[in-house]
Amino acid sequence: MSLEPADPIVPDTKDWTWTTQRPCAECGFDASAVTPDQLPTLVRALTRPWALVLGDEEAAAVGLRDRPDPSTWSPLEYACHVHDVLDVFAGRFALILAKEDPTLPNWDQDEAAVAGAYAAQDPAEVGAGISTRTDALVEQLGRYDSGDWDRSTQRSDGASFTALTLGRYLVHDLAHHLHDVGAGSAGAPTGRRGV
């Protein structure tokens, strides 16, 4: 097992915003009908399996750090991405409540993977961080009242969201990454990159 930096992944430039409106043919997750009251439960359900992925000593011995091919992240790299996604989205949901129609700060997931040396991280620390960051995100979602879910925002690339469609986008992303590593969606409605 090498801790050398992995080859860089070709950046994902696909537009994944459509996943808020219809099921994902790749992973099967349908975020389009997710309601605000379901978001906290789904975030927990879609992050919980990472403890098993990262804590499985047998799996860790045979490939937690291994990429299935040079253009696909390893399970550990996907876990690190999810770890960061939770933090980014907690900040995004806080900003939507704090400002009218804010533009969300740009976050380059591929730069984050390089800067964070995802392939070299400690799986136990990443797993603990996912749990802590899930709690923080769920707490942030709990600050929303029923009227807040229609608040508007946009990403720096111009993609428009409401707080609810951003939540749908998030849960698809979480589900898709479980699919990416073969962990399923833990009983959640039947997620890939593109945050």
Side-chain angles (χ1 to χ4, degrees), residues 82-98:
V82 167
H83 176 272
D84 287 352
V85 161
L86 295 165
D87 198 38
V88 167
F89 274 80
R92 288 178 174 182
F93 283 108
L95 183 61
I96 292 168
L97 274 182

Side-chain angles (χ1 to χ4, degrees), residues 18-35 38-39 42 46 167-173 175-176 185 188-191:
W18 58 267
T19 61
T20 65
Q21 301 169 353
R22 62 183 186 273
C24 178
E26 197 173 315
C27 73
F29 189 88
D30 183 0
S32 66
V34 170
T35 60
Q38 294 173 317
L39 284 171
L42 283 171
L46 295 168
R168 290 174 175 167
Y169 187 83
L170 166 66
V171 293
H172 166 263
D173 195 62
H176 202 109
S185 60
T190 319

Side-chain angles (χ1 to χ4, degrees), residues 95-171:
L95 183 61
I96 292 168
L97 274 182
K99 293 187 174 182
E100 288 296 320
D101 197 28
T103 297
L104 303 172
N106 185 45
W107 181 63
D108 185 318
Q109 64 191 18
D110 299 296
E111 284 181 15
V114 173
Y118 283 3
Q121 295 304 308
D122 177 271
E125 289 181 16
V126 174
I130 287 174
S131 178
T132 300
R133 289 174 179 211
T134 295
D135 291 343
L137 176 56
V138 167
E139 181 180 327
Q140 183 61 50
L141 294 174
R143 294 186 176 116
Y144 275 70
D145 292 324
S146 59
D148 293 328
W149 294 103
D150 290 329
R151 294 175 68 95
S152 61
T153 188
Q154 58 274 316
R155 285 190 316 209
S156 57
D157 66 358
S160 294
F161 296 89
T162 64
L164 177 57
T165 59
L166 188 68
R168 290 174 175 167
Y169 187 83
L170 166 66
V171 293

